[in-house]
Amino acid sequence: MAAPDGRVVSRPQRLGQGSGRGPKGRGACLHPLDSLEQKETQEQTPGQLDMLRKAQEFFQTCDAEGKGFIARKDMQRLHEELPLSLEDLEDVFDALDADGNGYLTPEEFTTGFSHFFFSQNNPSQEDAGEQVAQRHEEKVYQSRGNEDLGDMGEDEEAQFQMLMDRLGAQKVLEDESDVKQLWLQLKKDEPHLLSNFEDFLTRIFSQLQEAHEEKNELEYALKRKIAAYDEEIQHLYEEMEQQIKSEKEQFLLKDTERFQARSQELEQKLLCKEQELEQLTQKQKRLEGQCTALHHDKHETKAENTKLKLTNQELARELERTSWELQDAQQQLESLQQEACKLHQEKEMEVYRVTESLQREKAGLLKQLDFLRERNKHLRDERDICFQKNKAAKANTAASRASWKKRSGSVIGKYVDGRGILRSQSEEEEEVFSIPRRSSLGLSGYPLTEEEPGTGEPGPGGPYPRPLRRIISIEEDPLPQLLDGGFEQPLSKCPEEEEVSDQGVQGQIQEAPPLKLTPTSPRGQPVGKEALCKEESSPSAPDRLFKIVFVGNSAVGKTSFLRRFCEDRFSPGMAATVGIDYRVKTVNVDDSQVALQLWDTAGQERYRCITQQFFRKADGVIVMYDLTDKQSFLSVRRWLSSVEEAVGDRVPVLLLGNKLDNEKEREVPRGLGEQLAKDNNLIFYECSAYSGHNTKESLLHLARFLKEQEDTVREDTIQVGHPAKKKSCCG
Ligand SMILES: Nc1nc2c(ncn2[C@@H]2O[C@H](COP(=O)(O)OP(=O)(O)OP(=O)(O)O)[C@@H](O)[C@H]2O)c(=O)[nH]1
Ligand SMILES: [Ca+2]
Ligand SMILES: [Mg+2]
């Protein structure tokens, strides 16, 4: 059996508790009776046989089922046969169960049973005292047997009582009668067994007594143990109670602490809430105050509102009246504006007429000048002839001729050599093309070049007297007299006539009749002269005028472009423009005549400040670059910014990439020009003054744009309160 602590505890097997491991399991093959019979045959003693039989009988009584062994409870069946109590029988069983396994085999039973009887037949093994006692018991047994037969004698009674006393049976047995009867029977029937019986009884009683004592002891030990357990339990209980008490106290302590903390917290919260409540009450009071104030205000506002409504109505009436008045004023203003417009146009035309007359005067003067030059030439020729006659003066004449050749900038010198002989045209052309970018002169014809200072015309009366230098300003607005009745005839002839005139000097000599002269030099074309030619298809006077300023680096082809546009001609090797020049050209734009005053500026750096001033009165600007010259394109931005500096972005700008004919030397891709135009809101064309490609188209585009812009502005100014806006050029 396994104890809780793991140790194996062995215990004597008890009936009813055991696992049923009976004597059969030990291989007891012999039937108890067989073994008894064997013994019977071996042991010849008749007493022993009797005893064995008796024992056999007892065994069979107990083992009624024929199991072959006797259990503790089987022993109780002997209660009726023997004068023994149930407790006594159990004690007997314990005594017989020699190996203590809880079962009595037939051997154990008979051995234990016959022990008493055989001990009598082997006296050598017993001590003498015992033998005496046995004999005495025998006698008792015998006497008892006698008594049983008849009435029991007093002697036998005394004997039995003595026996009982000796055995101390009174203490153990309650009723002696059964034992007495058995004793008597035995004494009478088999007196030799009496002593054995008495021995048996003695043993039994002594064992019973021992058992009793043991029981008492055990009872006592049990009581003690119980007391100890009780005490221990009591102790444990007390300890537990103590513990519970302390736990309780601790818990209570904690609980109270918690409770206190919680109550403090709650108190604080309560305090806070109270404060909040107080604040809220104050707020409520304040709001109530405000409410009442607002209520009052509302009433006041209501009254005011009605007042304001009335005022509003009055104002509305007034507004209506005012708007009527305003409308009247607008109508008046409109009519005034129209008048002003008309006046402006008239003024413009007046100016145009004045400048045109001036221009005519100038043309006349130029012609006079040419005539005078011619006269001068003739005079010189005459003089030269005179000189030739004079041989002595020959050397002097040669020296003077050499000095003339050096002055490339002089004009009259071109026509006269040192010897007074007219130079041939081919000679002059050679000179022109050997200096590719020679400067031309400003509009008014006065030399502006600084690279040729001191280039004087050594006339017969010493150096040529130079008049005051002057650059014509755009503000003066000089215009050829296109609108005058008689302009057409003389002006249409101009280009051919002026081909020969040089811009170098313009005397104030008058009254000389104009002469038709032969062209002397392609470089001699006066850059400052006006292209007074009018479009053949426009017989009527122009109804508006636009001033357009041409800018761009030097040599991009501005002058060439203007020449192509105005005269439909191209002359290679144009001289660089000096100062400023202008041409006028009338074009047809959508059934209306538009005069374009085209201002040709000098691209050279030193004239920039002059150019700048001309932007201010410009209606449009043309910025030109040479598409075979990257640098000229890079300068476009600078030109644009100086235009913007002067006029902001109110003026439309046409960007022209010239020299399209020279495609193989192109340095500026078309895309770049387009992109630049797109970025700056410009009109863009690539053109060629040489081939005439896009010259008319581009300028007509600009003219149309200007016209449309002006139309819009006019419309806008009529509508009051709508300021004119600049239209997008490249849209
Ligand atoms: N191939 C070619 N050459 C041109 C074209 N236009 C002008 N040129 C030449 O370029 C040179 C300069 O021409 P100009 O018209 O004097 O240039 P510009 O812009 O007036 O120069 P500045 O007066 O100094 O500002 C001349 O030799 C012209 O012959 C063109 O369309 N094609
Ligand atoms: Ca046994
Ligand atoms: Mg030029």
Side-chain angles (χ1 to χ4, degrees), residues 472-514:
I472 197 157
S473 127
I474 202 166
E475 271 87 350
E476 289 170 29
D477 220 356
L479 276 172
Q481 198 158 348
L482 289 174
L483 306 175
D484 206 59
F487 72 94
E488 269 178 77
Q489 200 200 355
L491 291 182
S492 58
K493 287 179 193 166
C494 279
E496 278 78 34
E497 284 170 4
E498 287 186 34
E499 195 73 55
V500 291
S501 74
D502 201 311
Q503 68 275 32
V505 278
Q506 284 183 351
Q508 296 291 314
I509 307 151
Q510 290 190 345
E511 291 173 58

Side-chain angles (χ1 to χ4, degrees), residues 437 552-561 570-577 600-604 658-662 687-691:
R437 296 296 301 156
N553 277 12
S554 182
V556 295
K558 297 184 289 295
T559 310
S560 301
F561 181 91
F570 179 79
S571 323
M574 289 289 282
T577 309
D600 181 15
T601 65
Q604 287 175 345
N658 193 29
K659 306 193 187 176
L660 185 61
D661 56 278
N662 199 358
C687 62
S688 166
Y690 176 78
S691 69

